[in-house]
Amino acid sequence: MQLTRKGAARHSELNARLLAIASTMGIALDEADIRKTAGIVRQLSDDVKVRSERLS
């Protein structure tokens, strides 16, 4: 599965927003930590989607 150009652009936009918001939270996380966390959340989301499609 691949994102469309529009989807990839939207993903980049949302990721940039997430990083901007996270940088103002005062939590001692660097960009690498934030990116890793975002990747884990994305994996969990993908897994939930796959499992819900199997149940449909």
Side-chain angles (χ1 to χ4, degrees):
M1 184 181 302
Q2 264 185 314
L3 292 173
T4 62
R5 282 187 216 157
K6 184 177 178 181
R10 182 69 175 144
H11 177 266
S12 293
E13 177 188 327
L14 292 173
N15 195 43
R17 282 184 175 180
L18 172 65
L19 290 173
I21 291 167
S23 70
T24 65
M25 295 177 73
I27 299 173
L29 296 176
D30 62 14
E31 184 175 338
D33 291 332
I34 295 167
R35 289 186 182 278
K36 183 176 180 179
T37 302
I40 291 167
V41 170
R42 191 170 22 263
Q43 284 178 315
L44 291 169
S45 175
D46 291 346
D47 189 48
V48 167
K49 287 177 190 172
V50 168
R51 290 171 187 263
S52 67
E53 287 172 359
R54 287 182 190 159
L55 295 175
S56 297

